[in-house]
Amino acid sequence: MALLDEGAKGVYVIAVTPFTEDGALDLPSTDRMVDFYLEKGATGLTVLGMMGEAPKLTAEESRIFVRRVLARVQGRVPVVAGVSAPGFAAMRELSDSVMADGAAGVMVAPPANLRTDDQIVSYYDMVARTLGPKTPFVLQDFPLVTNVQIASSVILRIVAAQPSCVMLKHEDWPGLAKISALRAASDKNGGRRISILVGNGAMFLPEELSRGADGAMTGFAYPEMMVDVWKAHAAGEVERAHDLFDAYLPLARYEQQPGHGLAIRKYLLAKRGAIASGMVRSPGSTLSAADIADIERLVARQARRLKEIN
Amino acid sequence: MALLDEGAKGVYVIAVTPFTEDGALDLPSTDRMVDFYLEKGATGLTVLGMMGEAPKLTAEESRIFVRRVLARVQGRVPVVAGVSAPGFAAMRELSDSVMADGAAGVMVAPPANLRTDDQIVSYYDMVARTLGPKTPFVLQDFPLVTNVQIASSVILRIVAAQPSCVMLKHEDWPGLAKISALRAASDKNGGRRISILVGNGAMFLPEELSRGADGAMTGFAYPEMMVDVWKAHAAGEVERAHDLFDAYLPLARYEQQPGHGLAIRKYLLAKRGAIASGMVRSPGSTLSAADIADIERLVARQARRLKEIN
Amino acid sequence: MALLDEGAKGVYVIAVTPFTEDGALDLPSTDRMVDFYLEKGATGLTVLGMMGEAPKLTAEESRIFVRRVLARVQGRVPVVAGVSAPGFAAMRELSDSVMADGAAGVMVAPPANLRTDDQIVSYYDMVARTLGPKTPFVLQDFPLVTNVQIASSVILRIVAAQPSCVMLKHEDWPGLAKISALRAASDKNGGRRISILVGNGAMFLPEELSRGADGAMTGFAYPEMMVDVWKAHAAGEVERAHDLFDAYLPLARYEQQPGHGLAIRKYLLAKRGAIASGMVRSPGSTLSAADIADIERLVARQARRLKEIN
Amino acid sequence: MALLDEGAKGVYVIAVTPFTEDGALDLPSTDRMVDFYLEKGATGLTVLGMMGEAPKLTAEESRIFVRRVLARVQGRVPVVAGVSAPGFAAMRELSDSVMADGAAGVMVAPPANLRTDDQIVSYYDMVARTLGPKTPFVLQDFPLVTNVQIASSVILRIVAAQPSCVMLKHEDWPGLAKISALRAASDKNGGRRISILVGNGAMFLPEELSRGADGAMTGFAYPEMMVDVWKAHAAGEVERAHDLFDAYLPLARYEQQPGHGLAIRKYLLAKRGAIASGMVRSPGSTLSAADIADIERLVARQARRLKEIN
């Protein structure tokens, strides 16, 4: 399997981790989910992300789940695995395991206690040494959740110092100026250009693509939205990209409720047949009748609007 | 002027504070802005909110600005003034001043160091005593900015203990379940029912109205969106409320960029003639050419979409 | 081996995790360290605490280390193991392992995202169900590090709801009033009385014992300080307890430097022959020449002062 | 009155703000307090610090209090005033007022939302422009309270960029390495050497002086401790400095309880006759009978120990 590199583009869907109703790993659903994402046009998959409930798995479960995904994908698209961990020993163990099984790269978010620029640069230096030079990694920049703010200049320092850092999972908010700054640094100032895939549930996807993002690495129960917006944009049809985006936006916004969105996403994935159950491991939220009424209304409106514009 | 009470409903626009290009209070623009908000259908105004750059004003500037707004409004709608302060002496001073000048009530957000339930309840007990029994107050619940999480049960304790707490500015995120819980408490369990106006740039307005919110208290460069959505919803035309909401959502979402949205809002208010300059006092953000291109595109798309649905 | 219960008292030393110079688990040093702590009078041991570098171990290393400690202790004193984890699956796995190997109980600190009272109570309900009714647990209350503030009333709710919660590791700061409140609740109001052992490097040990603490569960390179202070206090010799405490205080204070203290503690433990190397796993701090000069001066002064008072 | 400059040394006591029992500014006590601090050997005073309850004063009260202190001091020692504020307009107003009244300089702590290096450097650039080139300022580096971590390299950037930054109030914890780094930068690398006065209740004063600090700027009910330790250290009597420090340490440690220490300090200052009442403005803590018993024991022990070593 080819390794992840700076040229990566398209839509790397952040995969959920399917559980059975009693909370066990659901491996048959894992297969269906992989098929579903690929049918919808995913150009890559990212597993064990935050929305993949990674911290709720044991080390052994993590390995089993990644192995199952890789077996089903069979090299059709690159698979990235989140390996963020409280310590480097556990990070190395998981990274070595998934890379040996065929992952294309790994992703690392910063721990919450990092503050100064040097602390962040130094942390990713330790990450790169932990992973080793043959394991490409994605830097996840998600301050809303990690509580770590990484300046553009710090990302550039990490990119300069760590050849194995090949991608930014961009989910600072606001973050448009950051994409512009990073692209200016590589385009005008000769820095190495890495791939930038955006997160945040794709809530700013059309504008982010215009600023120079290469695609998205995030989740949504309708991943075809990201694929279609990205394709339209890549084809130069910017207004069309916005039309598609706007049709999905009311539901995408509803799914972007911190700490609650995963239950919404899994409910819809189950409804769409991608997984057997919407079960979220504890601690997690559940949907009320009012939530479901909201979702059903938004889905119906979305279907109508898509019909209008297609 | 009538005081704010539990029956308040509609749209209380969070007003910006207009400055001249060199950063001074712009009092003529203050008049125009008041006229603008009222023409667009505001049923109330809220000044000195977070998006009103309240912390950037001196105590004297705050008093002058509120006085000007009140003079222009001339009692046509109630005016609420934010009086959050690091200490109670400054809070009392400002509250006494604005109430003497004719404000209908004041608003208080919790300081960032509050954590436990009892700390929050105790803080609002001190607030109520500071303001005095004749000054109705709005409890602002905005964890994204204040970093204070207030459980529904804590809001109910405050409501029970403080008769002068007459309104919740609801901007927890996610927050739909909180509205449901608060309404259940008053509707089924006999608690005092206070007004709930929603914030967060109205990003969940239709769903929040369905849960029992009485309207919105937030800002957006197109406040008529909130007014029209609220009116349609109140008339039972829920799908129509969503249609209107969806038309504005792409721009509303763009304006909801923390720390950057105010520059966008003021740019648009200046463009619409409501204020003379989009100037934001330091520290604040400025718009890049790319930002303005984004905004102009979204405004044009919004105009087209509104034409389609009207 | 007897299980931990509400009657626990004395000094449960927070054990370091010894590493060789190249960062591997140092099992021979583990034996020497156990012997050292027991010779100094420890009435219990706590392993895999924060100062035991627990997050830097793999799941397998954690199990190996605890097993080695238990084998060396051979039931002479109870051993508590920290099992805090980002998710319940990993927590259960580790807890089941250490309890099967003979631990007396486990310790759980709250995750950083808990805020409201109900969130904390609910979290420990999930903890108790995860561990099962046969595994006694210690509630670790350490806001400086966890960023979670637990009111006395919340601790009492947890104690009332969870019979398997038998001990509080008390390290709120300030925290004296909390001990008083908890003791009043059990002594006067009939609540279940649990064991309270204090942390924070024992920086308030004499005063905490006077408020009703049952001893200490914390670390210091001179654990005999805690043992001797506790014994003197238990014998009613309060001034003597203070004399001893004061003699060690300058060094204890120096060791209480967040994020740096562990390097100091391990340096001194190595110097005293308890472990082979002062090595701290990355990320961790190292001692400068100036640090070592400070330490050596404080150790010499401490020795002189102890001679004076003995 | 001479302005504060880089050569400042000695002990700048952080003054409390005395209130009457009913919470009003106590101006007669302000005079007595000034006399008390000067009798104990203070070489400077700092008013409106965090422990001076600055945020609890109105703008007018702040000005009145500083004016009273300056009138009593009559130029005998330099007086620094804290002017930290949520916005620059209020900061400028207060700074202009106190400098016009004869203050030697002002002090500014960073607001809690600063994170990246550039954000901090940029903030102090705005501070320097707000204060103007004729107002020397103290950079307060107190992460435990401000939640802002300022790397040594960032302090050096601020010192290089802002000639009016003449002093660091050093209270990072741990912070010894920071003093060493800053002194190395000026001593070996030719940077401008600014004054470093240490905070944190002087809990590391002897070691900090050895690293190159010029004295202390902090509070303690026995400010003579800081004066005597500083004098002994300056005279080369390092062991004597430690002897003195150790005698006061048990009480100093007790006073260093965050959020509770001010009530202890004011109780002792009232007991010593420096102020009329130990009243702390709300929100603030009060002392329990058990607290007072602790304090009285520590004071008695301290008196005995001082007798032994003198």
Side-chain angles (χ1 to χ4, degrees):
Chain A
M1 178 63 213
L3 293 178
L4 196 70
D5 65 25
E6 294 86 345
K9 57 182 53 175
V11 177
Y12 282 60
V13 179
I14 294 282
V16 299
T17 301
F19 298 112
T20 61
E21 285 294 319
D22 61 359
L25 271 184
D26 180 351
L27 296 176
S29 279
T30 300
D31 292 342
R32 286 161 61 190
M33 178 190 73
V34 166
D35 296 345
F36 172 85
Y37 286 143
L38 267 57
E39 280 161 20
K40 299 303 177 193
T43 62
L45 289 181
T46 301
V47 295
L48 301 184
M50 292 168 184
M51 293 297 264
E53 299 178 73
K56 300 179 190 168
L57 305 180
T58 65
E60 182 62 11
E61 286 175 328
S62 297
R63 285 189 290 264
I64 291 171
F65 174 65
V66 176
R67 202 164 290 155
R68 183 75 170 220
V69 168
L70 288 164
R72 188 71 173 191
V73 169
Q74 280 201 298
R76 287 176 289 169
V77 297
V79 176
V80 175
V83 298
S84 301
F88 293 121
M91 185 186 294
R92 178 184 292 116
E93 187 178 65
L94 180 56
S95 174
D96 286 354
S97 164
V98 299
M99 293 306 291
D101 287 343
V106 300
M107 179 165 68
V108 181
N113 61 322
L114 299 183
R115 289 301 180 83
T116 70
D117 287 6
D118 284 354
Q119 284 170 351
I120 299 167
V121 170
S122 163
Y123 182 79
Y124 278 97
D125 184 60
M126 290 186 274
V127 165
R129 277 187 284 136
T130 296
L131 302 175
K134 292 182 184 162
T135 299
F137 75 89
V138 181
L139 163 53
Q140 184 175 15
D141 179 21
F142 196 7
L144 182 68
V145 169
T146 62
N147 210 15
V148 178
Q149 291 196 18
I150 313 182
S152 304
S153 59
V154 170
I155 295 173
L156 293 173
R157 286 172 62 188
I158 295 169
V159 169
Q162 314 301 343
S164 57
C165 177
V166 299
M167 184 187 285
L168 174 69
K169 183 176 196 304
H170 165 278
E171 32 199 347
D172 201 350
W173 178 46
L176 292 167
K178 189 175 267 188
I179 299 178
S180 296
L182 295 173
R183 284 312 182 215
S186 58
D187 298 350
K188 300 179 195 163
N189 302 329
R192 183 166 60 100
R193 187 191 197 280
I194 64 169
S195 173
I196 299 178
L197 300 188
V198 303
N200 268 325
M203 287 289 284
F204 293 89
L205 182 54
E207 290 87 357
E208 288 166 332
L209 291 170
S210 292
R211 301 286 176 115
D214 298 303
M217 181 185 275
T218 187
F220 179 32
Y222 292 80
E224 57 266 44
M225 177 270 268
M226 302 185 279
V227 174
D228 294 346
V229 169
W230 172 67
K231 283 185 177 166
H233 204 281
E237 301 171 9
V238 178
E239 290 294 325
R240 173 69 183 162
H242 275 275
D243 288 345
L244 287 161
F245 176 77
D246 290 357
Y248 289 99
L249 181 56
L251 183 59
R253 158 207 66 121
Y254 196 85
E255 210 194 88
Q256 274 301 96
Q257 298 182 59
H260 194 51
L262 182 61
I264 299 167
R265 185 178 297 169
K266 283 187 140 183
Y267 169 84
L268 285 168
L269 288 173
K271 183 183 163 87
R272 300 189 79 190
I275 57 179
S277 162
M279 208 271 173
V280 174
R281 269 196 181 172
S282 174
S285 68
T286 51
L287 302 183
S288 66
D291 291 336
I292 290 174
D294 285 343
I295 296 167
E296 295 296 346
R297 177 191 301 272
L298 291 168
V299 167
R301 290 182 55 84
Q302 177 176 290
R304 282 204 300 276
R305 183 66 188 143
L306 284 169
K307 212 171 278 180
E308 284 175 23
I309 67 169
N310 283 318
Chain B
M1 178 65 213
L3 293 177
L4 197 69
D5 65 25
E6 293 88 343
K9 57 181 54 175
V11 176
Y12 283 58
V13 179
I14 294 281
V16 299
T17 300
F19 298 112
T20 61
E21 284 295 318
D22 60 1
L25 272 184
D26 181 351
L27 295 176
S29 279
T30 301
D31 292 343
R32 285 162 62 191
M33 177 191 74
V34 166
D35 296 346
F36 173 85
Y37 286 143
L38 267 57
E39 279 160 20
K40 298 304 178 193
T43 61
L45 289 182
T46 301
V47 294
L48 301 184
M50 292 167 184
M51 294 297 264
E53 299 176 75
K56 300 179 191 167
L57 305 181
T58 64
E60 183 61 12
E61 286 175 327
S62 297
R63 283 189 291 264
I64 290 171
F65 174 66
V66 176
R67 203 164 289 155
R68 183 76 170 220
V69 168
L70 288 164
R72 188 71 172 191
V73 169
Q74 280 203 298
R76 286 176 289 169
V77 298
V79 175
V80 174
V83 297
S84 301
F88 294 121
M91 185 186 295
R92 177 184 293 116
E93 187 177 66
L94 180 56
S95 174
D96 287 354
S97 163
V98 299
M99 294 306 291
D101 286 342
V106 300
M107 179 165 68
V108 181
N113 62 322
L114 299 182
R115 290 301 181 83
T116 70
D117 287 6
D118 284 354
Q119 285 170 351
I120 299 168
V121 169
S122 163
Y123 182 79
Y124 278 98
D125 184 59
M126 291 185 274
V127 165
R129 277 187 283 135
T130 296
L131 302 175
K134 293 182 183 163
T135 298
F137 75 88
V138 180
L139 163 54
Q140 184 174 15
D141 179 21
F142 196 6
L144 183 69
V145 169
T146 62
N147 210 14
V148 178
Q149 290 195 20
I150 313 183
S152 303
S153 59
V154 169
I155 295 173
L156 293 172
R157 286 172 62 189
I158 295 169
V159 169
Q162 314 301 343
S164 57
C165 177
V166 298
M167 184 186 284
L168 174 70
K169 184 177 196 303
H170 164 278
E171 33 200 345
D172 201 349
W173 178 47
L176 292 166
K178 189 174 266 186
I179 299 177
S180 297
L182 295 174
R183 285 311 182 216
S186 57
D187 298 351
K188 301 179 193 161
N189 301 330
R192 183 165 59 99
R193 187 191 197 279
I194 64 169
S195 174
I196 300 179
L197 300 188
V198 302
N200 268 323
M203 287 289 284
F204 293 90
L205 183 55
E207 289 88 358
E208 289 166 331
L209 291 170
S210 291
R211 301 286 175 114
D214 297 305
M217 181 186 275
T218 188
F220 179 32
Y222 292 80
E224 56 266 44
M225 178 271 267
M226 302 185 278
V227 173
D228 294 347
V229 168
W230 172 67
K231 283 185 177 167
H233 205 280
E237 300 172 8
V238 178
E239 289 294 325
R240 172 70 182 162
H242 275 275
D243 289 343
L244 287 161
F245 175 77
D246 290 357
Y248 288 99
L249 180 57
L251 182 59
R253 158 209 63 122
Y254 196 86
E255 209 194 87
Q256 274 300 98
Q257 297 183 60
H260 194 51
L262 182 61
I264 298 168
R265 184 178 297 169
K266 283 187 140 182
Y267 168 84
L268 285 167
L269 288 173
K271 184 184 162 84
R272 299 188 80 191
I275 57 178
S277 161
M279 207 271 171
V280 174
R281 270 197 182 171
S282 174
S285 67
T286 50
L287 302 184
S288 67
D291 291 335
I292 291 173
D294 284 343
I295 295 166
E296 296 296 345
R297 178 192 299 273
L298 291 168
V299 167
R301 291 181 55 83
Q302 177 176 289
R304 282 204 299 277
R305 184 66 189 144
L306 284 169
K307 213 172 275 180
E308 283 174 23
I309 66 169
N310 283 319
Chain C
M1 178 64 213
L3 293 177
L4 196 69
D5 65 27
E6 294 87 344
K9 56 182 54 173
V11 176
Y12 283 59
V13 178
I14 294 282
V16 299
T17 300
F19 299 111
T20 60
E21 285 295 319
D22 61 1
L25 272 183
D26 180 351
L27 295 176
S29 279
T30 300
D31 292 342
R32 287 162 60 192
M33 177 190 73
V34 166
D35 295 346
F36 173 85
Y37 287 143
L38 268 56
E39 281 161 18
K40 299 304 178 193
T43 62
L45 289 182
T46 301
V47 294
L48 301 184
M50 292 167 185
M51 294 296 265
E53 299 177 75
K56 300 179 191 167
L57 305 181
T58 65
E60 184 61 11
E61 286 175 327
S62 297
R63 285 188 290 265
I64 291 170
F65 174 65
V66 176
R67 202 164 289 153
R68 184 74 170 221
V69 168
L70 288 163
R72 188 69 173 195
V73 169
Q74 281 203 299
R76 288 175 288 169
V77 298
V79 175
V80 174
V83 298
S84 302
F88 293 121
M91 185 186 294
R92 177 184 294 116
E93 188 177 64
L94 180 56
S95 175
D96 286 354
S97 164
V98 299
M99 294 306 290
D101 287 342
V106 300
M107 177 165 69
V108 181
N113 62 323
L114 300 183
R115 289 301 181 82
T116 70
D117 288 6
D118 284 354
Q119 285 170 351
I120 299 167
V121 169
S122 162
Y123 182 80
Y124 278 98
D125 183 60
M126 290 186 274
V127 165
R129 277 187 283 136
T130 296
L131 303 175
K134 292 183 183 162
T135 300
F137 75 88
V138 180
L139 163 53
Q140 183 175 16
D141 180 20
F142 195 6
L144 182 69
V145 169
T146 63
N147 209 16
V148 178
Q149 291 196 17
I150 313 182
S152 305
S153 59
V154 170
I155 296 173
L156 293 172
R157 285 171 62 188
I158 295 169
V159 169
Q162 314 301 344
S164 57
C165 177
V166 299
M167 183 186 284
L168 174 70
K169 183 176 196 306
H170 165 279
E171 33 199 346
D172 201 350
W173 178 46
L176 292 166
K178 190 174 265 186
I179 300 177
S180 297
L182 295 174
R183 285 314 182 213
S186 58
D187 297 351
K188 300 179 194 162
N189 302 328
R192 182 166 60 100
R193 186 192 199 279
I194 64 169
S195 173
I196 300 178
L197 300 188
V198 303
N200 268 324
M203 287 288 285
F204 293 89
L205 183 54
E207 289 88 357
E208 289 166 330
L209 292 171
S210 292
R211 300 286 175 116
D214 298 304
M217 181 186 275
T218 188
F220 180 32
Y222 291 80
E224 57 266 44
M225 178 272 267
M226 301 185 278
V227 173
D228 293 347
V229 168
W230 172 67
K231 284 184 177 167
H233 204 281
E237 301 171 8
V238 178
E239 290 294 325
R240 173 69 183 161
H242 275 274
D243 288 345
L244 287 160
F245 176 77
D246 290 356
Y248 289 99
L249 181 57
L251 183 58
R253 159 208 63 121
Y254 196 85
E255 209 194 88
Q256 275 300 97
Q257 297 183 59
H260 193 52
L262 182 60
I264 298 167
R265 185 178 296 168
K266 283 187 139 181
Y267 169 84
L268 285 168
L269 288 173
K271 184 182 162 87
R272 300 188 79 190
I275 57 179
S277 161
M279 207 272 173
V280 174
R281 269 196 183 172
S282 174
S285 69
T286 50
L287 301 184
S288 66
D291 290 336
I292 290 173
D294 284 343
I295 296 166
E296 295 296 345
R297 177 192 300 272
L298 291 168
V299 167
R301 291 181 54 83
Q302 177 175 292
R304 282 204 300 276
R305 182 67 188 142
L306 284 169
K307 213 171 276 179
E308 284 174 24
I309 67 167
N310 283 319
Chain D
M1 178 66 213
L3 293 177
L4 196 70
D5 66 25
E6 294 87 345
K9 57 182 54 174
V11 177
Y12 283 59
V13 179
I14 294 281
V16 299
T17 300
F19 298 111
T20 61
E21 285 294 319
D22 60 1
L25 271 185
D26 180 352
L27 295 176
S29 279
T30 300
D31 292 342
R32 286 161 61 191
M33 178 190 74
V34 166
D35 296 346
F36 173 85
Y37 285 142
L38 267 57
E39 280 161 20
K40 299 304 177 193
T43 62
L45 289 182
T46 301
V47 294
L48 301 184
M50 292 168 183
M51 294 297 264
E53 300 177 76
K56 299 178 190 167
L57 305 181
T58 65
E60 183 61 12
E61 286 175 327
S62 297
R63 284 190 290 265
I64 290 170
F65 174 65
V66 177
R67 202 164 290 155
R68 183 76 171 220
V69 168
L70 287 165
R72 187 71 174 192
V73 169
Q74 281 201 299
R76 287 175 290 169
V77 298
V79 176
V80 174
V83 297
S84 301
F88 293 121
M91 185 186 294
R92 178 183 294 116
E93 188 178 65
L94 180 56
S95 175
D96 287 353
S97 163
V98 299
M99 294 305 292
D101 286 343
V106 300
M107 178 165 68
V108 181
N113 62 322
L114 299 183
R115 290 301 180 83
T116 70
D117 287 7
D118 284 353
Q119 284 170 351
I120 299 167
V121 169
S122 162
Y123 183 78
Y124 278 98
D125 183 60
M126 289 185 275
V127 165
R129 277 187 284 136
T130 296
L131 302 176
K134 293 183 183 162
T135 299
F137 76 88
V138 181
L139 163 53
Q140 184 174 16
D141 180 21
F142 195 7
L144 183 68
V145 168
T146 62
N147 210 15
V148 178
Q149 290 195 19
I150 313 182
S152 304
S153 58
V154 170
I155 295 172
L156 293 172
R157 285 171 63 189
I158 295 169
V159 169
Q162 313 301 343
S164 57
C165 178
V166 299
M167 183 187 284
L168 175 70
K169 183 175 196 304
H170 166 278
E171 33 199 346
D172 201 349
W173 178 46
L176 291 166
K178 190 174 266 187
I179 299 177
S180 297
L182 294 173
R183 285 311 184 217
S186 57
D187 298 351
K188 299 178 196 165
N189 301 329
R192 182 165 61 99
R193 187 191 197 279
I194 64 169
S195 173
I196 299 179
L197 300 188
V198 302
N200 268 325
M203 287 288 284
F204 293 89
L205 183 54
E207 290 88 357
E208 289 166 331
L209 292 170
S210 292
R211 300 288 175 113
D214 298 303
M217 180 186 277
T218 188
F220 180 33
Y222 292 79
E224 57 266 46
M225 177 272 266
M226 301 186 278
V227 173
D228 294 347
V229 168
W230 172 67
K231 283 185 177 166
H233 204 281
E237 300 172 8
V238 177
E239 290 294 325
R240 173 68 183 164
H242 275 275
D243 288 344
L244 287 160
F245 176 78
D246 290 358
Y248 289 99
L249 181 57
L251 182 59
R253 158 209 63 122
Y254 196 85
E255 209 194 87
Q256 273 302 94
Q257 298 183 59
H260 194 51
L262 182 62
I264 299 168
R265 185 177 297 168
K266 284 187 139 183
Y267 168 85
L268 285 167
L269 288 174
K271 184 183 162 87
R272 300 189 79 192
I275 56 178
S277 161
M279 207 274 172
V280 174
R281 269 196 182 172
S282 175
S285 68
T286 51
L287 301 184
S288 66
D291 290 335
I292 290 173
D294 284 343
I295 295 166
E296 295 296 345
R297 177 192 301 273
L298 291 167
V299 167
R301 290 182 55 83
Q302 177 176 289
R304 283 203 299 278
R305 184 64 189 144
L306 284 169
K307 213 172 275 179
E308 284 175 24
I309 66 169
N310 283 320

